[in-house]
Amino acid sequence: MSCQVRLVTADGDQRVVHAEPGQSVVEAAKQAGIILPSLCGKGTCGTCVGRVEAGSYDMRPFEDDALGGKQDAVLLCCTEPTSDLDVALPFDSTKLVEQAPNRREAGIVSIERLTPHIVKLTLQLEPDDELGSAAEFEAGQYMQIEVPGRGELRAYSMSNVPNWDGTLEFLIHIRVGGLFSTYLDTQAREDDILNLVGPQGTFGLVENGMRPRWFVGGGCGLAPLLSMLRRMAEWGDPQESRLILGVNTAADMFGAAEIGEVLDQLPELQVTTAVWRPEAGLQPADERFECVAGSSVDVLTAALAQIDDPELVPDIYVCGPPGMVTALEEATAAAGVDPELVHSERIAAN
Ligand code: FES
């Protein structure tokens, strides 16, 4: 017998779907035409977080890191209802996708190596009869890119902003043995055509009045944070904002030019680079950046401790490798920050 699953968005919108025995909430929603955020589908990436408010369920195996410090949360790709279920989704109805993401083609414009392990990939969308040629997405979202010749999809966040030109920019970590990384490192050429699925994802700016916005991350977690900061710069958002980036050594810093351009437009943006291994020096990549020894968790913890007005507790956007995101979420919880103010996304190893 199927179970009724009531999906309730953060702004109170409701959808009802039915889960057959052994179906997860994500699978049941998809069958009803609702595409919930879900990347890995097997409990490792944390994209599909939600909260069960009533009802019972079985959990498929999942990795603890995927849930991070989120109390009472579940991974909806692993949640199999065993009774009728009420599920709270952590995003507004405007982000509820009720059709499959678009499939697009895009040509490689350039592959620029920013560090020995980080590449900036720029693509140009091919014009589409229905979708036109603009790159339409929300700052913070990602695209899945098909690995040529392999048919598998890998997800990467855009680091640029929506535009009429159809340009998509990604920051990609070249990983030994990574399927798309290896293609990019050894075979990819300008004008190669790639298949994309998206945009997807609910990570993005939340309307928060004039409360400050902080962005914290590491590695290619910079990509969606940079996209959001560029969007703020484009709109001239007046909120106090802060970017904290964790790097291994000062030489591992990348994206300084892009962050510098944001600073030109958002001069009040405070940028701190936290250098884990400072032996080689603490030279900031831009003289307007602060550069300190330690981790992004240390910097975030110290900054939160200085807030004495509850109105000034920021929305905190976190993105990076799963272990780093979990540590940052735990730091916000330890500082007493309302979990609703913490928006996080984990970068999968691709
Ligand atoms: S989609 Fe559920 S944990 Fe990745």
Side-chain angles (χ1 to χ4, degrees):
M1 222 177 79
S2 69
C3 301
Q4 179 177 292
V5 180
R6 196 157 60 103
L7 303 167
V8 185
T9 60
D11 55 349
D13 239 30
Q14 299 188 10
R15 302 283 189 285
V16 173
V17 303
H18 292 87
E20 302 301 328
Q23 247 185 347
S24 71
V25 172
V26 167
E27 291 160 351
K30 186 175 180 187
Q31 190 170 284
I34 298 171
I35 313 298
L36 294 178
S38 165
L39 264 183
C40 70
K42 56 183 184 190
T44 59
C45 73
T47 314
C48 60
V49 153
R51 202 174 63 245
V52 173
E53 306 224 299
S56 58
Y57 55 88
D58 289 335
M59 286 303 291
R60 298 176 189 169
F62 64 94
E63 288 183 14
D64 288 346
D65 242 5
L67 264 183
K70 289 200 164 60
Q71 303 275 332
D72 307 331
V74 293
L75 299 170
L76 297 175
C77 73
C78 297
T79 305
E80 296 179 2
T82 53
S83 76
D84 290 350
L85 217 59
D86 284 355
V87 175
L89 301 173
F91 50 84
D92 285 353
S93 53
T94 52
K95 294 187 173 172
L96 202 57
V97 179
E98 300 197 53
Q99 60 180 37
N102 295 321
R103 301 189 78 89
R104 300 293 302 261
E105 287 187 340
I108 295 181
V109 175
S110 62
I111 304 166
E112 185 184 345
R113 201 166 278 270
L114 302 182
T115 76
H117 302 293
I118 304 287
V119 156
K120 179 162 93 175
L121 172 67
T122 305
L123 303 181
Q124 172 77 45
L125 284 171
E126 296 282 305
D128 179 283
D129 286 348
E130 281 178 25
L131 301 168
S133 52
E136 291 188 57
F137 60 91
E138 297 291 330
Q141 284 193 299
Y142 62 84
M143 284 277 188
Q144 288 179 299
I145 306 179
E146 190 176 302
V147 185
R150 304 296 290 263
E152 291 195 37
L153 297 169
R154 295 291 184 264
Y156 298 100
S157 301
M158 280 70 79
S159 57
N160 64 333
V161 288
N163 59 84
W164 293 110
D165 307 335
T167 303
L168 298 170
E169 182 187 290
F170 304 90
L171 302 175
I172 296 179
H173 191 154
I174 302 295
R175 295 177 198 280
V176 178
L179 265 192
F180 189 73
S181 300
T182 303
Y183 157 76
L184 208 51
D185 203 28
T186 61
Q187 298 173 41
R189 297 284 177 271
E190 284 179 19
D191 298 330
D192 279 4
I193 298 293
L194 299 173
N195 294 317
L196 312 181
V197 183
Q200 304 180 62
T202 59
F203 188 51
L205 292 170
V206 173
E207 192 42 61
N208 72 346
M210 285 300 289
R211 215 176 38 246
R213 287 174 173 149
W214 290 6
F215 302 86
V216 194
C220 291
L222 173 62
L225 306 181
L226 185 57
S227 177
M228 288 188 256
L229 281 164
R230 283 171 153 169
R231 195 64 165 149
M232 286 181 67
E234 194 174 66
W235 289 349
D237 282 0
Q239 287 100 325
E240 183 213 314
S241 52
R242 178 163 194 170
L243 173 65
I244 300 169
L245 284 176
V247 293
N248 198 21
T249 71
D252 293 326
M253 177 71 192
F254 61 93
E258 289 80 358
I259 297 167
E261 283 169 19
V262 173
L263 262 171
D264 292 341
Q265 294 169 276
L266 291 179
E268 303 303 320
L269 171 68
Q270 192 179 345
V271 181
T272 305
T273 311
V275 182
W276 181 242
R277 286 174 43 218
E279 302 86 19
L282 284 173
Q283 191 59 34
D286 182 303
E287 61 183 14
R288 293 168 293 177
F289 300 176
E290 179 190 28
C291 195
V292 300
S295 69
S296 53
V297 173
D298 298 334
V299 175
L300 178 64
T301 301
L304 287 172
Q306 287 176 5
I307 298 175
D308 50 15
D309 179 352
E311 296 293 313
L312 296 180
V313 176
D315 269 84
I316 305 175
Y317 298 85
V318 178
C319 191
M324 170 188 270
V325 173
T326 299
L328 288 163
E329 287 173 341
E330 287 170 355
T332 61
V337 177
D338 181 345
E340 301 285 315
L341 299 182
V342 182
H343 317 277
S344 50
E345 182 142 283
R346 290 164 169 76
I347 296 284
N350 282 324

